Amino acid sequence: GITMRTVLQSLWTRAGAPDAPQCLAGLSLLQENLRFSGAPFELALPGDRYIRVTARPADGQSVFYAHVDISELKHQQWRLQEAERLTRHSETALRHQSALLLVMLENMEQGVTMLSADGALEMYNLRAAELLHLPPQHAGERLQPTISDNHRQEQAAYARSQSMLNLVPILLPEPGTTASVQSRCPDGRVLEVRTVPVDGSGFLRTFSDITERYHEEARMRHAANHDGLTGLLNRSTFMSHLALEIARVRRSGGGCAVLYLDLDGFKPVNDQHGHAVGDRALIWVAQCILRIARESDLVARLGGDEFVVLQKSVDDPAHALAFGQRLLAAINESFMIETLPLRMGASIGVSHCPLHSDVPQQLLDCADQAMYRAKAQGRNAVCLFDPTASEASD
């Protein structure tokens, strides 16, 4: 003899939540749906349970209500709704990340390419298209065979691009590592190519234009190894090459010669006309030596007005003496700096490996001593080292 409202309210009261939103909403539903029997409706019960109530008219005066427990169904709906919400959130986040990644790719200074495990080009950014002469209109998408075939015919540089893209077996590093090489393009640019494996899906290859850095490093190396005024090798670099050549002679036989040059008459030029003219005179002498020397010979400035030449593959010291005479004749020629007619000479000492020594510094010292003998004998001469002769002073 009690109402359904009373039953529902007593359930929530025993559960200690008579004012719970689910209870109040259920009471309102009952009031509305019991007044007008119609579509099924749902009621929330304590303990996270739910029932569906369906009216069934029995006769003209009575109505039967079927109550079905739909708790598990509601829970499944909630789980599905939560999964859908998370999916929508993930899709939104993925779209955002994809858009962000595309913006980053298109604004990177590096060219970025994605290649499959067999080396096929999957994707590249605009910078990669610029560096590798790939079709820019297809950046960001898989390069279809027809596109690549047409491009291969249109672009002579494509073969070079492919060679840099397909450095596969020799450049594919171990997982977790990066392989890096430098490659020169036909247009003179230098690219640094890095390869990073991608688990199960080929690898990423990046291309950075390091032309400016490459040339700057080359300039630094040149400055470290060469004389700043004449561009010839400096002392330390010359001694390194001399050591290598002596090692070759010890290993394979043959010989080499060292010619030590000290200019005669340079000091008056420097004192009378100033250091600027003196520097240009030294440059002129350096060019003279390079003009007479063979391509395989190494020429260095030791400092001041002293020069040295390493003649490779010289079995007979007489050949080195003849070379010294040709140098002497070239340096003796008069030359002009601006409107100044100038003339200098040179004293040249010659030592031979293995005849005189097979130790780099000793071989240079022997040539130095022979040069002082040339000065002592009247300057402007060429002398071969003689271990029996006493050292002459300038």
Side-chain angles (χ1 to χ4, degrees):
I2 60 176
T3 64
M4 288 179 65
R5 285 175 54 84
T6 303
V7 172
L8 182 64
Q9 198 162 25
S10 66
L11 284 173
W12 282 100
T13 300
R14 286 199 301 271
D19 297 324
Q22 298 94 321
C23 177
L24 299 178
L27 293 175
S28 177
L29 274 172
L30 280 173
Q31 182 178 355
E32 185 69 25
N33 285 279
L34 292 181
R35 184 183 306 166
F36 305 103
S37 310
F41 60 94
E42 297 175 359
L43 292 176
L45 303 181
D48 207 18
R49 295 171 55 228
Y50 289 83
I51 59 173
R52 175 173 289 166
V53 183
T54 306
R56 292 288 186 269
D59 50 38
Q61 298 180 346
S62 301
V63 179
F64 286 95
Y65 287 90
H67 300 258
V68 179
D69 189 332
I70 60 169
S71 302
E72 183 59 32
L73 177 61
K74 294 292 289 187
H75 297 161
Q76 289 177 355
Q77 288 177 343
W78 290 341
R79 287 193 288 270
L80 180 60
Q81 290 172 358
E82 179 63 14
E84 290 176 346
R85 186 190 69 80
L86 291 174
T87 299
R88 286 194 298 272
H89 177 75
S90 298
E91 288 176 350
T92 302
L94 183 59
R95 283 196 298 270
H96 176 72
Q97 290 175 356
S98 297
L100 182 62
L101 178 60
L102 285 174
V103 171
M104 291 174 61
L105 280 174
E106 296 313 324
N107 289 275
M108 289 179 67
E109 286 297 319
Q110 286 181 316
V112 179
T113 62
M114 178 68 73
L115 292 96
S116 63
D118 61 357
L121 184 58
E122 295 280 351
M123 182 276 294
Y124 56 93
N125 65 354
L126 286 173
R127 181 59 170 158
E130 176 189 347
L131 292 175
L132 303 178
H133 302 286
L134 295 168
Q137 66 272 25
H138 298 292
E141 61 187 62
R142 181 181 177 89
L143 194 63
Q144 299 299 324
T146 54
I147 296 171
S148 59
D149 288 343
N150 293 337
H151 187 68
R152 191 177 291 111
Q153 295 171 4
E154 294 170 1
Q155 295 284 349
Y158 187 84
R160 180 60 177 172
S161 302
Q162 283 296 94
S163 70
M164 284 190 284
L165 285 168
N166 296 333
L167 301 168
V168 179
I170 57 170
L171 271 189
L172 192 58
E174 294 296 323
T177 63
T178 301
S180 176
V181 297
Q182 292 183 0
S183 183
R184 185 180 292 276
C185 298
D187 59 8
R189 288 180 300 178
V190 180
L191 301 184
E192 182 179 60
V193 185
R194 290 181 176 271
T195 305
V196 182
V198 179
D199 261 352
S201 55
F203 52 97
L204 189 74
R205 180 158 285 157
T206 63
F207 301 85
S208 303
D209 189 341
I210 60 166
T211 307
E212 187 175 340
R213 188 185 82 193
Y214 176 85
H215 290 308
E216 180 59 29
E217 290 174 352
R219 285 191 291 270
M220 293 174 63
R221 287 193 298 270
H222 187 274
N225 297 327
H226 293 76
D227 173 54
L229 176 65
T230 62
L232 301 178
L233 297 178
N234 58 24
R235 176 186 286 269
S236 62
T237 307
F238 177 83
M239 294 305 294
S240 298
H241 284 287
L242 179 58
L244 290 174
E245 180 62 15
I246 289 176
R248 185 199 65 79
V249 170
R250 289 174 183 164
R251 183 175 60 253
S252 306
C256 64
V258 172
L259 292 87
Y260 200 117
L261 291 81
D262 186 272
L263 297 180
D264 297 325
F266 172 73
K267 189 175 184 304
V269 171
N270 209 42
D271 291 345
Q272 294 175 21
H273 304 292
H275 293 295
V277 172
D279 287 347
R280 293 181 63 178
L282 292 174
I283 294 171
W284 180 85
V285 170
Q287 292 171 347
C288 276
I289 300 173
L290 290 173
R291 187 175 70 250
I292 303 301
R294 300 171 303 176
E295 187 175 348
S296 60
D297 296 337
L298 297 177
V299 184
R301 181 188 176 205
L302 301 182
D305 60 349
E306 295 180 332
F307 298 83
V308 65
V309 180
L310 168 60
Q311 260 197 312
K312 298 182 179 181
S313 303
V314 177
D315 297 335
D316 188 346
H319 296 312
L321 288 172
F323 173 59
Q325 291 294 342
R326 292 195 299 274
L327 287 176
L328 199 61
I331 296 172
N332 276 331
E333 293 179 1
S334 62
F335 60 98
M336 298 285 293
I337 293 182
E338 296 180 353
T339 59
L340 293 173
L342 301 174
R343 182 184 290 273
M344 294 185 299
S347 296
I348 303 175
V350 179
S351 62
H352 184 269
C353 171
L355 179 62
H356 301 132
S357 176
D358 62 356
V359 177
Q361 187 59 55
Q362 289 180 4
L363 191 64
L364 184 65
D365 291 342
C366 291
D368 186 24
Q369 293 173 31
M371 180 272 293
Y372 277 111
R373 280 188 57 227
K375 282 189 177 292
Q377 293 175 8
R379 302 175 183 269
N380 204 33
V382 181
C383 280
L384 181 66
F385 175 71
D386 183 357
T388 64
S390 60
E391 293 187 5
S393 58
D394 185 3

